[in-house]
Amino acid sequence: MITLKSPREIAEMAKSGAILAGMHQGLQNIIKPGISSWEIEEFARKYYRQHDAVAAQIGFEGYKYATCVSVNDEICHGFPRKSLILKNGDLVKVDTVVDYHGAMSDSCWSYAVGTPSPEVAKLMDVTKKALYLGIDQAKVGKRIGDIGAVIQHYTEDENGYGDVREFVGHGIGPTMHESPNVPHYGEAGHGLRLRAGMTITIEPMINIGTWKAEMDDPNGWTARTADGSLSCQYEHTLVITDDGPKILTSQDATFDQKYLLNY
């Protein structure tokens, strides 16, 4: 079922999103060569406790961690690990969900460890731009397919990358995953029509090689690129309003100025 959020609910989700964004901003000073991916998990847990928030992923369908930390060819749902030491040039994706007094927010961000190669830097730039191209389609009267079509065209047709099909965005709040699904591929003019008050995530996962994923990891969670190529992801939670899409997990008020709520 799709729920349209009230101004009060949206304001609470914005508070949740600000906590999540602050955690991601803090990771910019944490992620560097030589740390373990477990240190990312520890930082997130501590940050949420300090801000009276709950790491909503813990316990979700048996998942044990506050974060998903996926490195290089891991597309998503990588476990934070004490044994995984980050090295210069790695591409790290950190995905996490915050519950703040019942209000949910969800955001993934990508980080280059140390100095990124030109290949990694380009993939990050393209994936982040794809996210914002999708957000620009999230307007009242548009359709779900408009979001996916613009992302797929930019990443695959214009840049020759693989646009992952196996994982999609979704509605959110008051539970983590709600209707509608929000694919990052598709056909313009098709799918559910968007309405004011809908809260969704847009979260393209883009691979340098094939779009296909392998999901045979023994841990039962982690997905990797089928050809071993690098994968990148950026994700925001947003609300559709009569004044356009508004990002609830913004990390940069200047960059996101036109996407911010006025209350």
Side-chain angles (χ1 to χ4, degrees), residues 68-140:
C68 296
V69 183
S70 307
V71 181
N72 295 333
D73 68 326
E74 295 173 341
I75 297 172
C76 60
H77 303 158
F79 287 8
R81 288 149 282 180
K82 294 178 181 178
S83 61
L84 178 57
I85 306 302
L86 302 182
K87 62 183 185 299
N88 187 66
D90 280 345
L91 175 55
V92 179
K93 290 80 66 177
V94 181
D95 192 2
T96 184
V97 183
V98 167
D99 181 341
Y100 178 70
H101 299 180
M104 293 276 189
S105 60
D106 185 358
S107 180
C108 179
W109 217 247
S110 289
Y111 301 87
V113 180
T115 304
S117 68
E119 183 180 50
V120 166
K122 180 184 176 184
L123 177 62
M124 294 176 72
D125 287 345
V126 168
T127 306
K128 187 176 181 181
K129 182 175 179 180
L131 167 63
Y132 280 85
L133 288 172
I135 290 171
D136 284 337
Q137 294 297 311
K139 298 176 180 177
V140 173

